[in-house]
Amino acid sequence: MFTMHLTAVNPDPLAKSTMTARCFATWWRAREPQLPRTERWATRVFGARCVLCSLDVAVPAVALCGDCAATLPFRIRPEHEIVAAGADRYCVPFDYAQPVSNWIRALKFADQRTYARLLGSLLAASVAARGLPLPTVIVPIPLHPSRQRERGFNQAERIARAAARWLDLPVRADALLRRRATRAQSSLAAAERRANVRAAFICTGVGVGDSRRRGLVLPRHVAIVDDVVTTGATAAAAAQVLRAAGVQNVELWAMARVVGETDTASEAPPGFA
């Protein structure tokens, strides 16, 4: 598989973002032929334009041009540890800022699937840029059934499936279940967030070689996917139950990290309620 390695040869953030965007475009072009035929056919027949400037794009399956990609709010170190999340590796490519924050909210509150495909392609390229072994399976953070019925879908699963198509990995949305409804994390302090999601998840599977229980067999290496991470409390709760089931290596992938005190990721913007 084509891989890429990003080296911080220039500390200037704009220069690094431009280099990252170019590497992403190269990787997308190399990987696009392996996307499902229906996805490739649709983008080529109906065309693809950049969601930000409306100009033609270089890679039909990614609705973002190179110039606009270079302006995205890339984190300086997307693999940097988020201590409270308790994962073994991380990939969180963006700060929670425009336009990425707008795309996440448009997906979450208006079911605009174009943004699921775009966010998934960006996440997949960010994962590939690390040059590290990939997990065996992707597990999206689940919603409580009542919330999913209300919304009609799980935005983390939409992003996970879009990324998985680029990385050629399976998605197991049934590996984790949210057994109790929790309050929106955005309104809570760090300690309250941890308490809010404590024992919120159960794992339906067992690790490889665990003969004590029956269920879905989970591999040793798993990536959990969420749309946004703040303190990491939700990811930590999910990682804990996966490890208890026998998973040895848990990665956390998310689109963006909320920085500072403002967390609007769980709030519908005007016109999206």
Side-chain angles (χ1 to χ4, degrees), residues 10-61:
N10 191 327
D12 176 62
L14 180 59
K16 184 177 186 300
S17 295
T18 301
M19 180 180 67
T20 300
R22 289 173 179 169
C23 289
F24 280 15
T26 300
W27 185 80
W28 286 328
R29 279 192 290 268
R31 295 293 295 169
E32 189 182 32
Q34 62 84 41
L35 289 175
R37 287 185 178 180
T38 53
E39 191 163 339
R40 287 184 282 121
W41 177 84
T43 54
R44 293 187 183 280
V45 169
F46 297 108
R49 292 185 178 274
C50 177
V51 297
L52 293 177
C53 70
S54 299
L55 295 179
D56 291 337
V57 298
V59 183

Side-chain angles (χ1 to χ4, degrees), residues 92-176:
V92 186
F94 300 107
D95 289 327
Y96 188 72
Q98 295 185 15
V100 173
S101 57
N102 288 344
W103 297 342
I104 292 171
R105 295 168 83 187
L107 167 62
K108 182 182 291 189
F109 299 110
D111 194 16
Q112 295 189 18
R113 300 188 188 192
T114 294
Y115 296 115
R117 292 191 291 271
L118 176 55
L119 292 167
S121 65
L122 287 163
L123 181 59
S126 300
V127 168
R130 305 177 308 170
L132 298 173
L134 292 174
T136 307
V137 70
I138 298 174
V139 176
I141 294 289
L143 295 176
H144 187 266
S146 62
R147 178 66 62 85
Q148 181 144 344
R149 283 194 299 271
E150 176 186 346
R151 185 169 292 167
F153 63 95
N154 176 3
Q155 71 280 356
E157 182 180 347
R158 289 265 170 90
I159 294 170
R161 292 193 182 281
R165 289 194 289 271
W166 286 95
L167 296 168
D168 195 22
L169 291 174
V171 175
R172 292 309 305 250
D174 55 346
L176 286 175

Side-chain angles (χ1 to χ4, degrees), residues 4 40 72 76 86 202 207 217 241:
M4 53 182 165
R40 287 184 282 121
L72 298 181
I76 299 300
I202 57 173
V217 177
V241 297

Side-chain angles (χ1 to χ4, degrees), residues 180-206:
R180 63 181 179 84
T182 54
R183 297 163 59 192
Q185 293 282 75
S186 59
S187 62
L188 305 177
E192 293 174 317
R193 289 170 187 256
R194 291 191 293 272
N196 189 44
V197 294
R198 189 174 296 128
F201 301 104
I202 57 173
C203 181
T204 64
V206 297

